[in-house]
Amino acid sequence: MTEQRKSIHGTWSSKWTFILAATGSAVGLGNIWKFPYMAGDNGGGAFVLVYLACIVVIGIPIMIGEIMIGRRGRSSPANTMRFLAAEANTTKAWTMLGATGALAGLLILSFYSVAAGWAMAYVFSGFQETSAQAVSGNFEEFLADPVSLIFWHSLFIVITVIIVARGILKGLEAWINTLMPMLFLIIILLCIYAMQTGAFMEGLVYLFKPDFTKINSDVLLAALGQAFFTLSLGMGAIMAYGAYMPANQNILKTAFVVAALDTGVALLAGIAIFPIVFANGLAPTEGPGLVFVTLPIAFGNMPFGVFFGTLFFILLSIAAISSSISLIEPGVAWFVESLKTKRSYAAITLGAFAWSIGVFSALSFNLMSDFKIFGMNFFEFTDFITNQIMLPLGGIFIAIFVGWVMKKQNVLEELQIKEGFIFNVWFFLLRFIAPVLVGLVLVYFFI
Ligand code: PFF
């Protein structure tokens, strides 16, 4: 079994590669597009505080667990779970965790790709408008056009499929090495722009001063779901990448680095966006269009705005691609191992599946806008079911598996640490705090 597991995947040549790949998966639309509008929809500071607490107390411990499972199993999440369940002498039903995770990834990809399509379309938007009204009008007009939305959605899926078909190891390294730092620099530039909008303090207060009366079960679940989504947890993406991690890499340190980079990017995006919101009389509750109606105003007004705006949306699209490949990878790796299909066949089939569901998300902004499920349009509904239900549930099961099912000595062996203070804190968070808190939030929400 060990021999076979070794032969399924190679390992990445350097320790840096795992960090790049995991950061590439984590940093994406979730940070720059979703975090700001979720914060805006859920009352600002209170949401941000709960979100940060979820990252530290639940997200990082589960990330450590997920990477550890992935590296020990050394194959696709579904087969990894099967292998580790056998190692722990327990039921094969754990394979389902990998399988439902792969499904969650495809469902997320279906609407992620629609939003990524917006980012790609904005590369060509020209950034000539300077007023909130004109910029908002452009975005609304764009959403009303089903043909454009489906075109960009299709293009994004095709690019994702091509990269995944060729094998994710090729190319990923070079991209993230140079392009991610560039994206980071433009976000800093936007923060500098935000400082002189006249509403910088107002933006900061909104983002960081919690109004505790705003916390309710919706806000708790939204912040929890966002923590899972932004760190790519609960569905096997990080587990799939863990399979390629060199055996001597320190999992704990790595998880901290990835989570810190990811959180840093999200907070900076918020710091850049909210001052623009307030300075231009926009509402924080703008919803999914928030970045698309704020940042173009900044680019329209700043020197060399066309250059920076175009570059920003190119880099955002690439950040989305480095996330989308991790959304489809758990399914593709599983197809390749278990059905012995070619990577290209697996990528095309699963890409087509995600694409076809995504078409409904694209149409939910225009032709199908009246079609509601529990009061949500199709885009919102897929987003809700995956991020706020499937990922947290996946997280509970991962925590239970590592904390209660795996043999402790195997956990210690894979993490390569001794049973001391750090291990005990982590193990406690994983065994008790994470599953109980996530469970409570879910139950509280449904009651
Ligand atoms: N973390 C990505 C983002 O913030 O854009 C989205 C994502 C990727 C979520 C992979 C889940 C996942 F498994």
Side-chain angles (χ1 to χ4, degrees):
M1 191 69 192
T2 312
E3 271 315 298
Q4 187 208 343
R5 278 165 56 229
K6 272 190 186 149
S7 66
I8 290 173
H9 298 296
T11 54
W12 279 328
S13 50
S14 86
K15 296 182 180 175
W16 194 215
T17 310
F18 178 86
I19 297 191
L20 290 175
T23 311
S25 166
V27 175
L29 296 176
N31 307 63
I32 294 163
W33 161 71
K34 197 150 200 282
F35 170 74
Y37 90 74
M38 293 289 282
D41 275 351
N42 289 286
F47 170 90
V48 174
L49 188 72
V50 180
Y51 160 83
L52 290 175
C54 289
I55 296 271
V56 174
V57 178
I58 300 170
I60 295 177
I62 290 183
M63 183 182 261
I64 294 169
E66 224 187 294
I67 300 174
M68 192 269 295
I69 293 180
R71 187 168 73 186
R72 196 162 182 83
R74 286 257 180 259
S75 34
S76 69
N79 286 330
T80 281
M81 288 311 298
R82 184 201 312 271
F83 170 77
L84 292 189
E87 189 186 58
N89 296 323
T90 183
T91 157
K92 269 205 302 205
W94 283 99
T95 312
M96 284 297 293
L97 181 57
T100 48
L103 177 66
L106 296 175
L107 292 176
I108 295 176
L109 178 61
S110 76
F111 73 84
Y112 198 82
S113 159
V114 173
W118 302 344
M120 290 202 299
Y122 265 64
V123 169
F124 304 97
S125 69
F127 309 101
Q128 295 305 322
E129 318 287 4
T130 52
S131 76
Q133 208 186 11
V135 169
S136 302
N138 280 350
F139 187 65
E140 270 167 35
E141 215 174 280
F142 175 52
L143 285 191
D145 177 4
V147 177
S148 303
L149 295 197
I150 291 177
F151 170 79
W152 291 106
H153 161 60
S154 311
L155 185 62
F156 185 81
I157 294 271
V158 167
I159 295 173
T160 302
V161 165
I162 291 175
I163 294 174
V164 173
R166 294 182 60 221
I168 53 165
L169 296 184
K170 295 180 199 138
L172 195 67
E173 203 157 350
W175 276 23
I176 303 173
N177 243 331
T178 46
L179 299 180
M180 188 91 85
M182 273 163 79
L183 179 63
F184 194 76
L185 288 181
I186 300 199
I187 299 174
I188 303 269
L189 181 78
L190 285 163
C191 290
I192 296 173
Y193 172 85
M195 280 176 196
Q196 45 83 53
T197 51
F200 191 60
M201 278 324 282
E202 200 181 337
L204 287 189
V205 168
Y206 182 78
L207 205 53
F208 294 113
K209 188 161 176 242
D211 170 358
F212 291 103
T213 61
K214 295 236 167 92
I215 297 184
N216 58 28
S217 66
D218 287 358
V219 172
L220 289 178
L221 187 61
L224 178 72
Q226 176 63 15
F228 277 95
F229 182 75
T230 192
L231 295 177
S232 305
L233 295 179
M235 53 136 293
I238 289 295
M239 203 187 282
Y241 281 0
Y244 302 103
M245 189 189 213
N248 60 353
Q249 185 160 5
N250 182 323
I251 294 180
L252 271 87
K253 263 195 221 154
T254 307
F256 273 102
V257 171
V258 174
L261 288 172
D262 183 77
T263 308
V265 173
L267 294 179
L268 285 174
I271 293 174
I273 285 172
F274 284 104
I276 305 175
V277 168
F278 295 119
N280 290 282
L282 291 160
T285 50
E286 194 75 30
L290 191 66
V291 255
F292 296 95
V293 301
T294 49
L295 298 189
I297 303 178
F299 293 124
N301 284 301
M302 70 169 67
F304 308 108
V306 180
F307 172 76
F308 287 121
T310 309
L311 189 60
F312 173 83
F313 281 101
I314 291 176
L315 296 173
L316 181 59
S317 305
I318 294 175
I321 289 170
S322 66
S323 300
S324 68
I325 56 184
S326 73
L327 285 165
I328 197 173
E329 177 63 19
V332 169
W334 187 32
F335 255 53
V336 171
E337 284 164 20
S338 296
L339 306 179
K340 310 274 179 261
T341 61
K342 280 201 199 144
R343 268 193 87 79
S344 51
Y345 174 80
I348 292 170
T349 311
L350 299 179
F353 174 76
W355 176 84
S356 45
I357 299 176
V359 166
F360 295 101
S361 277
L363 295 181
S364 69
F365 294 98
N366 37 67
L367 302 180
M368 283 175 57
S369 59
D370 291 334
F371 175 76
K372 297 269 156 86
I373 314 169
F374 300 118
M376 294 174 260
N377 69 26
F378 193 81
F379 180 98
E380 292 161 344
F381 181 72
T382 346
D383 175 352
F384 173 77
I385 284 292
T386 51
N387 294 333
Q388 302 195 21
I389 309 293
M390 293 177 89
L391 298 188
L393 274 180
I396 293 187
F397 283 110
I398 288 167
I400 291 177
F401 189 79
V402 176
W404 299 93
V405 179
M406 279 181 77
K407 295 199 181 85
K408 196 167 170 185
Q409 99 225 25
N410 289 343
V411 174
L412 283 162
E413 177 189 285
E414 196 58 47
L415 290 178
Q416 294 163 3
I417 52 172
K418 301 230 157 48
E419 205 176 333
F421 178 70
I422 296 185
F423 176 83
N424 288 335
V425 171
W426 169 72
F427 209 48
F428 179 77
L429 288 173
L430 202 74
R431 291 187 101 182
F432 300 102
I433 305 297
V436 170
L437 280 186
V438 176
L440 281 179
V441 172
L442 285 171
V443 170
Y444 179 42
F445 177 82
F446 281 106
I447 292 175

